């Protein structure tokens, strides 16, 4: 089946959406992509509004919702909303910092179907993780992970955002994941939200990016979502997208119902609308912001022999480093000049 | 006549090119260029049967191969018609 050609076709609805369902968080991670949303303090959809949005996601036949935040489990109604989405056939994934997991919460989660958990841990040791996620968090996160393992939670991964601080720990992080029966997930560090302020300190060097690309090619079982589509070697091509899915395959919902092309592009410049004012279907179908992303071409990359496998890379990284859309991903491994 | 049922763990929806399948166990997508030949069942439900447009000749053979491919991927299951 000609997957690549068809994946470029305009879809009737997103395949998945990222829903930052709360601004509230009990941690202050230095690279948090949602730090800007929290700083803007625009509030959250209430329970009825969330239920109405889930009804619409089901009508649109969105396959999967990735709940994040903030820390989703801080919302009093979150478990009810999860069950509400699952009852409508939507696969649910929750990105959590893991610090609120306890036996009572596990009782609830174990009773759910179609639930995947992704626990964030940004280092294989206390010192590294705690610099990024805050003092004392390594032990608290690990306690949550131990609970997931001991209670036999079936579908969970540990996610590390790869930065200069922890890139040397990937092998050890992978061993830690396997020890707990979790899938290993690596995510790309991007200069969005809090990542903007820590970019110079945390971003990978060209050599580290090259080594990471090689490592991912050798370890296809390691999950990356679409994080590294612009950097991944050809051996991982069958595992994910070969292009940015923003406004095509996915979109992001902010806590207040604002809609953006993707979770890494929750910037006022890319506000496509709000579900408080109009339907998500209408925004996805006809927002000028989304149309702009669908038509986005990185012309400077067209002559590259890898164009068909990355299409110019991540627009979010390019935009936040250059304040321009349509430029090549500055971390492209083929790029001759390293962005300072 | 055999029916083709979409298993509980699979979602499928109509797109302009045909059908888009999603396997909830792997979260993998499968794009199927089926045009109007196949019709998706409801998003959820008890027994979700794939609709198949009556065809003849080469198009019938093409759809038959497509169905075999989808069965091989575990996205549909052949079943006798419901009583």
């Amino acid at each position: 089946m000609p997957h690549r050609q068809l994946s470029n076709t305009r879809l009737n609805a997103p395949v998945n959406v990222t829903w930052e369902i709360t601004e509230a968080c009990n941690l202050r991670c230095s690279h948090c992509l949602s730090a800007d949303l929290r700083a803007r303090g625009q509030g959250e959809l209430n329970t009825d509004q969330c239920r109405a949005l889930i009804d619409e996601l089901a009508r649109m036949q969105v396959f999967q919702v990735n709940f994040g935040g903030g820390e989703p489990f801080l919302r009093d109604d979150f478990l009810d909303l999860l069950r509400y989405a699952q009852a409508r056939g939507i696969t649910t994934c929750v990105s959590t910092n893991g610090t609120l997991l306890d036996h009572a919460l596990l009782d609830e989660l174990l009773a759910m179907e179609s639930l995947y958990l992704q626990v964030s841990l940004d280092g294989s040791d206390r010192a590294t993780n705690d610099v990024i996620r805050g003092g004392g968090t390594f032990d608290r996160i690990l306690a949550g992970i131990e609970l997931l393992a001991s209670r036999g939670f079936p579908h969970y991964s540990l996610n590390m955002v790869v930065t200069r601080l922890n890139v040397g720990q990937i092998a050890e992080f992978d061993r830690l994941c396997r020890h707990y029966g979790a899938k290993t997930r690596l995510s790309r560090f991007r200069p969005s939200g809090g990542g903007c302020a820590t970019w110079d300190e945390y971003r990978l060097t060209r050599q580290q990016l090259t080594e990471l690309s090689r490592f991912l090619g050798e370890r296809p079982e390691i999950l990356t979502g679409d994080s590294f589509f612009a950097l991944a070697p050809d051996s991982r091509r069958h595992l994910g997208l070969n292009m940015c899915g923003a406004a095509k395959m996915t979109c992001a919902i902010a806590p207040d119902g604002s809609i953006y092309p993707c979770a890494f592009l929750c910037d006022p410049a890319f506000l496509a609308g709000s579900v408080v004012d109009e339907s998500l279907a209408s925004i996805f179908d006809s927002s000028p912001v989304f149309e702009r992303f669908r038509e986005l071409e990185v012309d400077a990359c067209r002559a590259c022999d890898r164009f068909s496998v990355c299409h110019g890379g991540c627009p979010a990284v390019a935009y936040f480093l250059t304040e321009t859309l349509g430029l090549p991903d500055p971390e492209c491994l083929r790029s001759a000049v390293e962005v300072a | 006549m055999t029916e083709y049922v979409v298993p509980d763990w699979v979602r499928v929806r109509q797109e302009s090119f045909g059908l888009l399948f999603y396997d909830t166990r792997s979260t993998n997508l499968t794009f199927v260029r089926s045009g109007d030949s196949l019709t998706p069942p409801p998003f959820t439900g008890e027994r979700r049967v794939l609709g198949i447009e009556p065809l003849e000749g080469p198009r019938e053979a093409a759809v038959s191969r497509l169905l075999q491919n989808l069965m091989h991927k575990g996205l549909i299951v052949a079943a006798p018609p419901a009583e």
Side-chain angles (χ1 to χ4, degrees):
Chain A
M1 283 174 225
H3 176 104
R4 284 186 182 167
Q5 288 176 1
L6 294 184
S7 66
N8 286 336
T9 307
R10 180 174 177 146
L11 300 181
N12 294 331
V15 166
N16 62 60
V17 302
T18 298
W19 187 350
E20 314 289 21
I21 199 162
T22 181
E23 294 178 337
C25 194
N26 55 338
L27 301 187
R28 290 292 180 268
C29 305
S30 52
H31 59 6
C32 177
L33 86 154
S34 301
D36 280 2
L37 291 173
R38 191 169 56 244
R40 278 181 241 154
Q42 292 174 317
E44 298 175 1
L45 298 177
N46 63 33
T47 304
D48 288 343
Q49 289 171 314
C50 288
R51 284 174 172 250
L53 181 50
I54 291 169
D55 286 338
E56 186 182 20
L57 291 165
R59 276 195 303 276
M60 293 172 74
Q61 302 190 328
V62 171
F63 296 129
Q64 180 179 320
V65 176
N66 304 320
F67 289 101
E71 169 51 47
F73 289 119
L74 280 173
R75 252 190 96 122
D76 290 340
D77 58 1
F78 184 56
L79 293 177
D80 287 338
L81 294 173
L82 268 181
R83 283 187 281 262
Y84 194 78
Q86 291 161 2
R88 277 143 192 80
I90 298 171
T91 296
T92 54
C93 307
V94 180
S95 176
T96 174
N97 63 40
T99 62
L100 301 176
L101 295 170
D102 59 19
H103 280 291
L105 180 52
L106 256 294
D107 287 343
E108 301 280 356
L109 301 181
L110 280 163
M112 295 180 182
E113 292 182 6
S114 299
L115 174 65
Y116 295 82
L117 283 184
Q118 177 183 310
V119 182
S120 299
L121 183 69
D122 281 327
S124 62
D125 63 35
R126 187 175 291 110
T128 306
N129 173 82
D130 286 6
V131 165
I132 300 168
R133 304 192 73 79
T137 57
F138 184 83
D139 292 339
R140 292 163 64 196
I141 297 165
L142 219 57
I145 293 167
E146 284 173 357
L147 204 55
L148 287 169
S150 67
R151 296 288 305 270
F153 190 82
H155 307 297
Y156 76 107
S157 61
L158 307 187
N159 181 70
M160 184 166 86
V161 177
V162 184
T163 65
R164 198 177 298 183
L165 306 189
N166 59 27
V167 67
Q169 301 185 341
I170 289 177
E172 187 57 32
F173 178 76
D174 182 44
R175 274 192 288 275
L176 187 143
C177 293
R178 281 185 280 136
H179 172 76
Y180 287 110
K183 290 184 175 170
T184 306
R185 179 180 289 273
L186 300 177
S187 292
R188 185 177 177 189
F189 174 54
R190 292 175 168 96
S192 310
C196 226
T198 50
W199 177 252
D200 287 338
E201 184 185 353
Y202 286 4
R203 72 184 176 86
L204 300 184
T205 65
R206 176 82 29 186
Q207 183 178 350
Q208 287 168 336
L209 285 167
T210 304
E211 288 171 3
L212 176 60
S213 174
R214 190 180 307 125
F215 175 80
L216 291 174
E218 293 166 358
R219 299 290 305 277
E221 78 280 12
I222 289 183
L223 305 175
T224 59
D226 65 352
S227 258
F228 294 101
F229 74 90
L231 309 175
D234 290 347
S235 53
R236 287 180 74 91
R237 286 295 157 211
H238 64 292
L239 298 174
L241 290 174
N242 62 344
M243 51 177 261
C244 167
K248 306 179 192 91
M249 311 277 278
T250 188
C251 67
I253 306 168
D256 67 347
S258 300
I259 304 297
Y260 298 92
C262 103
F264 293 96
L265 287 163
C266 292
D267 184 273
F270 306 120
L271 176 62
S274 169
V275 295
V276 175
D277 304 320
E278 58 183 314
S279 70
L280 177 62
S282 165
I283 295 169
F284 187 80
D285 186 54
S286 56
S287 154
V289 171
F290 277 26
E291 286 300 330
R292 184 179 173 202
F293 268 86
R294 289 171 186 140
E295 292 166 4
L296 192 64
E297 298 278 354
V298 184
D299 292 332
C301 294
R302 284 200 168 276
C304 177
D305 63 346
R306 292 187 83 243
F307 182 71
S308 65
V309 295
C310 89
H311 293 87
C314 175
V317 176
Y319 176 78
F320 287 110
L321 294 182
T322 67
E323 296 185 356
T324 309
L325 270 182
L327 290 182
D329 190 326
E331 290 193 320
C332 168
L333 296 176
R334 290 284 170 87
S335 172
V337 182
E338 186 165 355
V339 173
Chain B
M1 191 177 132
T2 302
E3 289 186 331
Y4 295 92
V5 176
V6 178
D8 288 346
W9 61 87
V10 174
R11 303 281 175 269
V12 56
R13 74 185 193 201
Q14 187 77 52
E15 293 289 348
S16 59
F17 51 80
L19 299 184
L20 179 57
F21 285 83
Y22 169 85
D23 187 327
T24 63
R25 299 174 305 179
S26 64
T27 70
N28 285 342
L29 293 170
T30 302
F31 295 74
V32 180
R33 196 190 297 274
S34 53
D36 297 328
S37 305
L38 304 177
T39 310
F43 201 52
T44 57
E46 283 292 308
R47 190 174 191 276
R48 296 178 300 142
V49 179
L50 197 64
I52 304 173
E53 192 72 14
L55 298 168
E56 291 180 351
R59 289 190 67 198
E60 183 186 24
V63 168
S64 179
R65 283 195 300 274
L66 195 54
L67 293 170
Q68 292 298 319
N69 197 350
L70 293 172
M71 279 197 292
H72 180 70
K73 287 173 177 274
L75 297 172
I76 57 172
V77 177
E83 301 262 325

